[in-house]
Amino acid sequence: MPAVGFLYPNGDKVSFEDVREGNVDILKIGMSLPTLIEMSKERDPNRLPSTTELLVGTCEAYLKRTKEYYIDPQDRAFSLAGTMHHAKLEQYEDDRHLLEEKLELWNITGIADLYDKESKMLLDYKNTGSYKCAKLLGMTYRLVPDPSGAKYKSSGKWGKKGSPKMVKQWYRDEGLADFGDWAWQINWYRYLLNKADYEVDSMYIQVTLRDAGLAVARDRGLDKNIYLIEVPKYDDEVLEHKFLKARDELLRAIETGNLPQKCSNEQTWNGRKCQSYCDVRYLCPYNNGSING
């Protein structure tokens, strides 16, 4: 089963059906009715496995498919913003571009955001925070003398009195770049496009920063609102092994009703996802203490 309703801040529940009929206290939940209705849209639980679904832990995907659960609408705020962002960009389809191209192979689906037929470029849109973007770029820094010529007025761990004041000089180190699941996702879209007779010469992620212009972004060396970041190509055999294995594990769990193994540390961000971000964390036997990992 997909999600079936929302949680009020006090823990009370309201079904998606009631929301769509207008039977929801918008002041109590803190959002307008159109916002809640848009957030209540769910995919068919009997659909084929999707690319993004196969990148989360099989246990998480299995629970979302087979259990009824309620979600905090606050958790879907950024997802809604991303959906609206995509919807705006979908308006500009022409003969040169494929937009939101639906792909399927070996019972795995995917949707490519943009494919440029002329440049043979595949692009995926992402809305994210500066922390994730800095990891994608491999941002790091070296300490250099302040260009203003400023000197330390007193001695300390930062330097001796009278010595040049040191400041961070940010730069990209591609060796530190961490694309996480996003590289797997866009590489699989590239693979699906190739199988549909579309050549892909390059892959990019277009990142729009949610916290652009704020001190937290500047402190990570980011001074733009949008970044276009090239994604490395992964070997096709590696892609096939990863996605077909994940597909088989999910379908087997759904067919047998057997709980899959606990999601990996990488899939759960070393447990942080289980604590605050996974929609089905309260239903997960590994997380709620009803079974040992």
Side-chain angles (χ1 to χ4, degrees):
M1 295 291 291
V4 295
F6 291 124
L7 293 169
Y8 284 103
N10 67 354
D12 290 344
K13 301 174 180 177
V14 57
S15 70
F16 287 156
E17 182 179 355
D18 281 339
V19 168
R20 292 164 191 150
E21 293 177 356
N23 300 322
V24 58
D25 188 335
I26 63 172
L27 295 181
K28 180 179 176 181
I29 208 166
M31 294 185 189
S32 72
L33 183 58
T35 302
L36 294 169
I37 291 175
E38 182 63 30
M39 287 181 172
S40 72
K41 293 180 179 178
E42 285 287 309
R43 294 176 293 176
D44 183 353
N46 298 314
R47 67 191 183 280
L48 294 175
S50 70
T51 300
T52 52
E53 183 178 31
L54 295 179
L55 287 170
V56 303
T58 303
C59 184
E60 177 186 344
Y62 167 77
L63 291 173
K64 286 182 175 179
R65 289 271 194 149
T66 60
K67 304 296 182 181
E68 291 187 353
Y69 60 98
Y70 290 78
I71 60 172
D72 183 343
Q74 294 288 343
D75 293 340
R76 294 207 167 178
F78 292 133
S79 176
L80 176 61
T83 299
M84 295 170 66
H85 183 84
H86 279 69
K88 286 289 185 182
L89 296 173
E90 288 172 25
Q91 301 176 27
Y92 302 102
E93 187 164 15
D94 52 31
D95 292 337
R96 173 172 174 167
H97 298 100
L98 296 178
L99 301 181
E100 294 293 306
E101 183 71 7
K102 295 181 179 179
L103 306 165
E104 180 189 330
L105 181 67
W106 293 328
N107 292 330
I108 300 174
T109 63
I111 301 178
D113 287 346
L114 183 147
Y115 172 70
D116 187 321
K117 300 175 186 176
E118 290 188 12
S119 65
K120 299 178 182 178
M121 179 186 74
L122 172 61
L123 187 145
D124 202 66
Y125 298 116
K126 300 293 186 184
N127 284 13
T128 192
S130 57
Y131 175 77
K132 176 69 173 181
C133 186
K135 291 180 65 177
L136 291 169
L137 292 166
M139 295 300 295
T140 188
Y141 65 87
R142 60 175 68 92
L143 293 176
V144 300
D146 191 326
S148 70
K151 299 180 182 297
Y152 292 117
K153 296 180 179 180
S154 60
S155 297
K157 61 180 180 180
W158 50 84
K160 295 182 179 180
K161 179 180 179 181
S163 63
K165 182 178 181 181
M166 306 300 285
V167 295
K168 291 179 180 179
Q169 182 183 71
W170 288 94
Y171 65 96
R172 291 183 63 180
D173 183 343
E174 293 186 2
L176 298 177
D178 181 1
F179 289 87
D181 284 346
W182 288 355
W184 289 108
Q185 178 187 4
I186 196 168
N187 266 276
W188 186 248
Y189 292 163
R190 187 263 309 161
Y191 179 90
L192 296 180
L193 282 167
N194 287 165
K195 295 298 184 180
D197 295 326
Y198 291 105
E199 295 183 28
V200 179
D201 289 343
S202 61
M203 298 170 287
Y204 286 85
I205 294 174
Q206 180 173 300
V207 177
T208 300
L209 291 188
R210 293 196 292 256
D211 52 0
L214 300 181
V216 66
R218 295 193 297 271
D219 288 345
R220 291 176 173 138
L222 304 180
D223 56 5
K224 298 179 181 179
N225 298 330
I226 295 178
Y227 285 86
L228 193 62
I229 307 171
E230 188 167 11
V231 177
K233 181 180 179 180
Y234 290 173
D235 184 81
D236 285 356
E237 291 186 3
V238 175
L239 292 169
E240 290 171 358
H241 175 76
K242 181 179 181 67
F243 281 93
L244 298 185
K245 180 175 182 289
R247 176 205 63 186
D248 292 346
E249 289 177 352
L250 176 59
L251 294 179
R252 186 184 310 115
I254 293 173
E255 181 181 353
T256 63
N258 293 328
L259 182 72
Q261 65 182 8
K262 184 179 179 180
C263 302
S264 69
N265 287 337
E266 181 180 4
Q267 291 164 338
T268 64
W269 317 334
N270 292 319
R272 289 188 297 110
K273 189 175 185 181
C274 300
Q275 295 174 0
S276 306
Y277 300 101
C278 179
D279 285 340
V280 289
R281 59 189 181 275
Y282 301 112
L283 297 173
C284 179
Y286 299 113
N287 195 49
N288 62 26
S290 59
I291 189 174
N292 293 324

